[in-house]
Amino acid sequence: MKKVLKIIGIFLGIVLLLLALSPLFFESTMEKLVKKTIDNNLNADVAWGDFDLSLFRSFPDAALTIKDFSVVNRAPFAGDTLASGELLKLNMGITQLFKSGDDPIIVDALYFENAFVNIRVDSTGQTNYDIAIKSDAPLTDDSEANNGFIFDLKRYELKDARINYLDEKTKTFIRLTNVNHTGTGDFSLAQSELDTETTALVSLQIEDIEYLSANEVALDAVFQMDLENQKYTFLENEARINALPLTFNGFVQVNETNNEIDLTFKTPSSDFKNFLAVIPKTYVKELDGVTTTGNFTVDGMLKGVVDDTFIPKMDIKIASDNASFKYPDLPKAVQNISIDARLQNDTGLLKDTYLTIGGLSFRIDDELFTANGSIRNLTENALVNLALKGTLNLANIEKVLPVEMEQELSGIFKADVTTNFDMNSVENEQYQNIKSQGTASLTNFAYTDSGFKNPIKITNANLAFTPGNIQLKGLSATSGETDIQASGTIQNLIPFLMSKQDLKGRFNLRSNTFNLNDFMSAETTASEGATKASEATTTKETIKIPDFLDATLDFSATKLIYDNLTLDNAKGTLRIQEETATINNVTTSLFGGNIALSGNVSTKGTTPTFAMNLDLNKIDIAQSFGQLKMLEFFAPIARALEGDLNTNIKLNGNLNSNLTPVLTSLVGDAFAQIITAEVNPQQAPLLSKLGEKISFLNLDRLSLRDLSTALTFNNGKIQVKPFDFDIKGIKVTAAGSHGLDKTIDYDLTLDVPARYLGGDVAKLLAKLDPKDAETTTVAVPVGLNGTFTSPQISLNTEAAVKTLTQKLIEKQKQDLKDKGTDILRDIVGGGATPKDSSATGGTTTPKTTTQETTQVVKDILGGIFGGGKKKKDSINGSN
């Protein structure tokens, strides 16, 4: 016995060793065979990662495993991925490995894991899955094309697959996700049964309308397969759409030129709970515990061929009569539910598909709502005929259905409206073809959305429908501090609701208080720190112009609040289009004066932008420059002024998230005129330091009445063109620039009467004609640099010396010529007699006189402007 067991053990060991080593002999051969089969049969680029052959994983079968595979199209879909996946496994009998190179290998099972299939049909009808190599030569049993693999499947499986189908011609997009499918049968037989189980999430979109969104579908079915005639007949089966059960009878047959369908389907029971099952679970959650009365049935038929011209004829009826439902944890029930809808096609032509709603009605409490109508010519220019009538309390939606709404709703909606239109007229904005009549109203409506800082509350809104026009009879609304009264005309309410057009119209809007801060929204953004592990969040207040409005508003507001400003009696015209607000003829009162404004603001891009023309008339300087950062930037020194100002400003630039200007982005120009102004030098360090430096300047006597200047803005700098003003009879000419960082670069020229320059100069002037002495002035250049809070003041005394010297010398020459006397002799010579001209035969030379005069002037001005410093004297001031 021990000897027998030993022999058996040795035999099993040899078998296991052969099983373990056999892939070393067959794997390379199999990979070459797979590649040869692909090259002979597919017009596509196929690639994979690992290729593995095992005799253990599917014992007693051999398992061929291909990982990370892809099938990429060639022209005309070059570069498109037709299919890919993490794993493809082919099972086959071990004996298949020992076949000769001329015999095909028979595959018994296929297994796909995390596969993706991407099917496309372009606008010309070409398909990306038509990749089989076509050959005109007839195939024979000995043909090379028969070499490779034959799929006589017994089982196949897809696990966690994704399938996309896009038909560009009909603009149809079907997306299947979480696809799990198994099939068990025998594809080697001409007649057999195939047992399948399928689950998936289905989404369906036709053009811009999404009809299904991740709806759960399942099908457990047994099919009779007639592989010779490609005919598949439903036997035992049950399908589920969400939780709605359906059963099918009939067959699908694949022909050479078309597909033939003959199917009927219906709900296996008539419980009204079947209706709730159609609604995605996202909205209605579980149906356990829901009590229902009445019935709900689906009964349908599809019969005909499917090809480039025809679809199956159809007749699908949905019906319910006097039904109700109530969720156990909700306070209210929906009662008196009646549904009579029918989808039909009697010709097999797609355009002849139509929907009839014989009646749809329901009641919540004592409020009845009904609808009926039809939609014909569904796939081309749809013809819509609908009627709505009844009352709906929006707050009851959450009291009858366990819906997870994005925001709470409340309010009473009433409607008695009929409408008749075609979709071409809707899309082409031919509003005269939209025939609507009736009334609709909304009262006590409250709406909360993240796009608005405060809830929007509509006390009442009344609409009157007439052909081609909808009148907003009245609207009363509030949000935060804001109150609104509005009326006007809506051009396209139905196109706005039906085809996502912008809401168009013209409205009159009145408000006692309109606070723009009420329409800010909070956005939270994450900012990374020095390391990825540290993150901080910041909150920004943003204002967004609605992207669905294409409207004109003629508005007036007793009080308009923007940021920290309050504008009185604001009125004008506002045009909103493509997230851009354009304002015209806007007038208001602010800072004790009047303002006229035109321009635009756009929030369409990542960075909001603006352009404006602002006319300020007789505004209070202290108030305006104290509260408007933009004006303070224009002229920081203005905080020391008290009086009135006129200015016209033309600017464009970027805006912050709360629609305040980004000062560094400003480009434009301005003209400013100070009407009257008193000066407080202590409010401006620059003025105070200037007064300390030049002792004879009495800034209390600064006169800015009727001062005018022009300014240019660019790259955070303001360039100021030359302007003049007066300080106690001293004319001052100023020009230069300053920046957002409060740096300054200005040049002043003080036209100083010579008599202000002290006693020594007065002695010089005493020899002049009194009239000349009174009018003689000195141009004193002053440089202003540094910042407004820490100014640097430089005096160019050398230029002043030259100016005064030249004037005195010119006067001296003139007097010598006219009178033969030297008016400076006594002062320059200190009373001494100059060298005897008779000894030399002449008088004092002009060169000597010039040098002496210049030296005297230098000494005088040096003492006045710098304590004896020569030429330039620069003093750094501090705050």
Side-chain angles (χ1 to χ4, degrees), residues 20 60 123 157 176 202 235 296 385 394 402 420 432 462 469 509 607 685 713 725 753 771 793 802 814 853:
S123 58
E157 182 176 356
L176 305 179
V202 180
L235 300 178
F296 176 79
N385 186 359
L394 300 179
N420 186 295
Q432 71 277 5
N462 296 297
N469 195 10
L509 187 149
T607 301
F713 313 88
F725 58 93
K771 184 178 180 181
I793 301 174
K802 290 181 179 179
Q814 185 65 37
T853 303

Side-chain angles (χ1 to χ4, degrees), residues 135-146:
S135 175
D136 295 331
L139 295 178
T140 67
D141 292 339
D142 297 328
S143 167
E144 184 180 355
N146 285 336

Side-chain angles (χ1 to χ4, degrees), residues 76-114:
F77 295 91
D80 283 0
T81 298
L82 174 61
S84 63
E86 292 184 5
L87 180 68
L88 165 60
K89 187 169 71 170
L90 296 81
N91 288 351
M92 63 198 74
I94 291 178
T95 58
Q96 301 296 314
L97 301 179
F98 298 94
K99 287 189 173 183
S100 69
D102 296 330
D103 295 327
I105 292 176
I106 299 173
V107 177
D108 299 324
L110 275 176
Y111 177 85
F112 293 88
E113 187 171 324
N114 291 324

Side-chain angles (χ1 to χ4, degrees), residues 3 52 62 114 176 220 265 353 732 769:
K3 192 173 183 179
D52 180 58
N114 291 324
L176 305 179
D220 297 338
F265 55 91
T353 305
V732 181
D769 182 271

Side-chain angles (χ1 to χ4, degrees), residues 203-342:
S203 298
L204 169 63
Q205 180 176 324
I206 301 176
E207 295 187 336
D208 294 330
I209 301 175
E210 190 170 36
Y211 293 93
L212 299 175
S213 179
N215 286 59
E216 294 182 10
V217 297
L219 174 65
D220 297 338
V222 178
F223 294 93
Q224 177 69 46
M225 295 194 303
D226 180 354
L227 295 181
E228 288 184 356
N229 298 307
Q230 293 290 295
K231 184 177 180 180
Y232 306 92
T233 304
F234 277 97
L235 300 178
E236 299 177 17
N237 66 89
E238 181 177 82
R240 294 180 301 278
I241 301 176
N242 291 331
L244 172 68
L246 292 172
T247 59
F248 290 83
N249 284 305
F251 67 87
V252 175
Q253 183 168 348
V254 180
N255 303 317
E256 283 190 20
T257 58
N258 58 36
N259 296 326
E260 186 178 349
I261 296 176
D262 188 350
L263 291 177
T264 61
F265 55 91
K266 64 180 180 179
T267 52
S269 66
S270 61
D271 193 326
F272 186 75
K273 192 175 290 187
N274 292 337
F275 170 74
L276 299 179
V278 179
I279 305 174
K281 287 184 178 179
T282 304
Y283 301 108
V284 299
K285 299 183 179 179
E286 298 297 331
L287 299 179
D288 294 341
V290 177
T291 58
T292 63
T293 63
N295 57 61
F296 176 79
T297 59
V298 176
D299 191 352
M301 175 273 290
L302 298 172
K303 186 174 183 178
V305 297
V306 180
D307 57 20
D308 292 339
T309 304
F310 293 97
I311 65 170
K313 298 176 183 179
M314 67 181 70
D315 187 1
I316 303 172
K317 297 185 286 287
I318 299 174
S320 179
D321 183 39
N322 197 26
S324 69
F325 70 87
K326 183 182 184 302
Y327 277 79
D329 298 328
L330 296 177
K332 295 182 180 293
V334 181
Q335 299 174 321
N336 300 120
I337 303 171
S338 293
I339 303 172
D340 178 12
R342 193 171 185 178

Side-chain angles (χ1 to χ4, degrees), residues 399-434:
K399 295 179 181 179
V400 298
L401 284 173
V403 292
E404 296 178 359
M405 304 189 70
E406 295 181 0
Q407 60 277 318
E408 291 186 2
L409 291 177
S410 64
I412 305 298
F413 173 70
K414 293 183 178 181
D416 187 358
V417 178
T418 61
T419 185
N420 186 295
F421 58 87
D422 66 283
M423 287 305 298
N424 280 351
S425 294
V426 168
E427 293 169 0
N428 296 325
E429 302 183 11
Q430 296 172 331
Y431 305 134
Q432 71 277 5
N433 295 334
I434 300 175

Side-chain angles (χ1 to χ4, degrees), residues 374-519:
S374 66
I375 304 176
R376 306 188 70 86
N377 202 27
L378 272 172
T379 60
E380 294 184 359
N381 180 23
L383 307 174
V384 180
N385 186 359
L386 292 175
L388 301 175
K389 185 175 183 179
T391 301
L392 179 62
N393 186 338
L394 300 179
N396 282 337
I397 295 175
E398 291 184 297
K399 295 179 181 179
V400 298
L401 284 173
V403 292
E404 296 178 359
M405 304 189 70
E406 295 181 0
Q407 60 277 318
E408 291 186 2
L409 291 177
S410 64
I412 305 298
F413 173 70
K414 293 183 178 181
D416 187 358
V417 178
T418 61
T419 185
N420 186 295
F421 58 87
D422 66 283
M423 287 305 298
N424 280 351
S425 294
V426 168
E427 293 169 0
N428 296 325
E429 302 183 11
Q430 296 172 331
Y431 305 134
Q432 71 277 5
N433 295 334
I434 300 175
K435 311 299 183 183
S436 300
Q437 289 186 324
T439 60
S441 67
L442 183 64
T443 56
N444 298 322
F445 173 79
Y447 178 81
T448 302
D449 188 272
S450 59
F452 299 98
K453 184 177 181 179
N454 301 297
I456 295 177
K457 299 178 181 179
I458 298 177
T459 304
N460 62 75
N462 296 297
L463 295 173
F465 293 80
T466 57
N469 195 10
I470 299 173
Q471 291 289 329
L472 176 62
K473 292 292 188 179
L475 169 70
S476 297
T478 60
S479 181
E481 296 181 34
T482 301
D483 65 274
I484 296 173
Q485 302 290 325
S487 61
T489 301
I490 302 174
Q491 291 179 297
N492 66 334
L493 180 61
I494 290 175
F496 168 68
L497 298 174
M498 295 285 294
S499 64
K500 299 182 180 179
Q501 291 186 18
D502 292 346
L503 184 63
K504 299 180 180 181
R506 187 169 190 120
F507 306 93
N508 290 311
L509 187 149
R510 300 170 304 284
S511 176
N512 293 314
T513 301
F514 197 101
N515 190 342
L516 283 172
N517 302 316
D518 290 332
F519 299 94

Side-chain angles (χ1 to χ4, degrees), residues 53-97:
L53 178 64
S54 172
L55 302 182
F56 288 105
R57 294 174 187 166
S58 301
F59 189 82
D61 290 337
L64 182 62
T65 303
I66 301 173
K67 294 182 179 179
D68 299 324
F69 67 89
S70 64
V71 181
V72 178
N73 282 108
R74 297 172 184 170
F77 295 91
D80 283 0
T81 298
L82 174 61
S84 63
E86 292 184 5
L87 180 68
L88 165 60
K89 187 169 71 170
L90 296 81
N91 288 351
M92 63 198 74
I94 291 178
T95 58
Q96 301 296 314
L97 301 179

